[in-house]
């Protein structure tokens, strides 16, 4: 299915597919920050085979960006050039068998944790504390509350930029802190996770503890993008930000959360440029006061709006 605009648009160069192609697709409504420009072309593949065929035939000069539920993503105000891929229903299955789960990359982390709980599979409760999808957790070795994907992954499946079907073992993923050493052009399609057989009631209790801790310590009801910066070696990002006097700091409607100062929030009318400028100002102040350079954990994609120098 293709939604076509005027002749001459990039969408006219797109290969045939069974999924959905949309020109100039709005992205702000699907991002947690509620900011950002449109995707030049949005592709929603029907299944992994559709994705593979599309990428194999896609002209090599067309850039590809992959997004999930955009919970840890900042889309710049000028939007995302090229093709933006967003996986949907064909990638959300979750199947439990024994102590393992076979999951699609578009499955929500919370849903995976819930299926594991119901199947009596322990060790995956940490996923309930990550507000994203399995694909995002694979890409950044997502973790929370003492565990991360590297502790649970058996293997991951992906499609390469050339359309090749790929599979990676946990070792081949090259996991480090909030990073996986696989080619940027790979699009994850699914994974096999392993926990250990446990008691469903105890697993449920642990998930409730995680939910309560998140609600108590994070601005989960605000327009935010999750943890903004990675924890530097030997430090906690929020402590460095607090010591630099940045708690509550704002630029326009972009603000450093008063509740957890490693979170940026959109108080209403912030632009992506406001949020990024605020993050860079936090980084500047932290370096000035501590000598530590904070690295962005939030993924920033796209281009600035025309005329925006930032």
């Amino acid at each position: 299915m293709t939604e076509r605009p005027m002749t001459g648009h990039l969408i006219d160069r797109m290969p045939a597919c069974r999924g959905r192609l949309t020109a100039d697709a709005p992205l702000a409504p699907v991002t947690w920050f509620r900011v950002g420009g449109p995707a030049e072309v949005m592709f929603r593949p029907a299944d992994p085979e559709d994705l593979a065929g599309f990428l194999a035939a896609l002209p090599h000069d067309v850039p590809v960006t992959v997004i999930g539920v955009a919970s840890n993503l900042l889309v710049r105000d000028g939007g995302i050039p090229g093709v933006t891929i967003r996986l949907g229903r064909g990638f959300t299955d979750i199947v439990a068998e024994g102590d393992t789960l076979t999951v699609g990359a578009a499955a929500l982390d919370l849903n995976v944790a819930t299926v594991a709980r119901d199947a009596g599979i322990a060790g995956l409760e940490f996923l309930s504390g990550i507000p994203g999808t399995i694909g995002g957790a694979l890409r950044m070795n997502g973790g929370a509350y003492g565990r991360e994907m590297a502790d649970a992954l058996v293997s991951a499946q992906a499609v390469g930029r050339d359309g090749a079907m790929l599979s990676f073992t946990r070792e081949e993923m090259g996991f480090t802190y909030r990073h996986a050493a696989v080619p940027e052009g790979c699009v994850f399609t699914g994974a096999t996770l392993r926990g250990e057989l446990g008691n469903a009631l105890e697993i449920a209790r642990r998930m409730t503890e995680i939910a309560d801790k998140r609600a108590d310590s994070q601005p989960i009801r605000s327009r935010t993008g999750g943890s903004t910066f990675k924890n530097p070696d030997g430090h906690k990002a929020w402590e460095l930000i607090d010591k630099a006097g940045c708690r509550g700091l704002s630029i326009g409607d972009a603000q450093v959360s008063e509740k957890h100062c490693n979170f940026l929030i959109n108080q209403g009318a912030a632009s992506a440029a406001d949020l990024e400028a605020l993050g860079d100002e936090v980084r500047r102040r932290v370096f000035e006061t501590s000598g530590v350079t904070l690295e962005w954990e939030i993924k920033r994609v796209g281009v600035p709006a025309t005329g925006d120098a930032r």
Side-chain angles (χ1 to χ4, degrees), residues 83-144:
V83 175
T84 298
I85 295 174
R86 193 171 193 226
L87 306 184
R89 292 180 182 175
F91 302 84
T92 57
D93 288 348
I94 307 170
V95 179
E97 184 175 354
D99 62 356
T100 66
L101 290 174
T102 302
V103 302
L108 293 173
D109 298 327
L110 175 59
N111 290 351
V112 174
T114 299
V115 171
R117 177 201 65 197
D118 294 345
I121 301 173
L124 301 177
E125 299 91 334
F126 75 97
L127 288 169
S128 67
I130 304 176
T133 62
I134 290 298
L138 289 169
R139 174 59 67 182
M140 65 178 295
N141 189 20

Side-chain angles (χ1 to χ4, degrees), residues 181-206:
V182 296
E184 282 295 322
C186 289
V187 182
F188 289 109
T189 57
T192 299
L193 309 178
R194 175 170 289 130
E196 57 186 31
L197 296 180
N199 181 277
L201 291 177
E202 177 59 26
I203 296 168
R205 184 194 64 78
R206 173 61 176 154

Side-chain angles (χ1 to χ4, degrees), residues 169-250:
T169 64
R170 178 175 58 184
E171 292 71 25
E172 289 169 340
M173 289 288 290
F175 282 134
T176 52
Y177 175 62
R178 300 298 176 263
H179 179 72
V182 296
E184 282 295 322
C186 289
V187 182
F188 289 109
T189 57
T192 299
L193 309 178
R194 175 170 289 130
E196 57 186 31
L197 296 180
N199 181 277
L201 291 177
E202 177 59 26
I203 296 168
R205 184 194 64 78
R206 173 61 176 154
M207 288 175 60
T208 298
E209 286 181 356
I210 289 172
D212 290 345
K213 287 180 180 178
R214 285 191 67 225
D216 288 344
S217 64
Q218 299 176 12
I220 60 175
R221 301 192 186 282
S222 301
R223 295 180 180 180
T224 185
S227 295
T228 306
F229 303 107
K230 299 177 183 179
N231 288 322
D233 288 343
H235 300 278
K236 292 182 178 179
W238 76 266
E239 290 181 342
L240 294 172
I241 295 167
D242 205 16
K243 288 177 181 178
C246 295
R247 186 183 293 270
L249 181 69
S250 63

Side-chain angles (χ1 to χ4, degrees), residues 32 214-226 257-265:
W32 283 36
R214 285 191 67 225
D216 288 344
S217 64
Q218 299 176 12
I220 60 175
R221 301 192 186 282
S222 301
R223 295 180 180 180
T224 185
S257 171
E258 297 271 8
K259 190 170 190 178
H260 191 313
C261 49
N262 195 24
F263 284 66
L264 303 183
I265 58 176

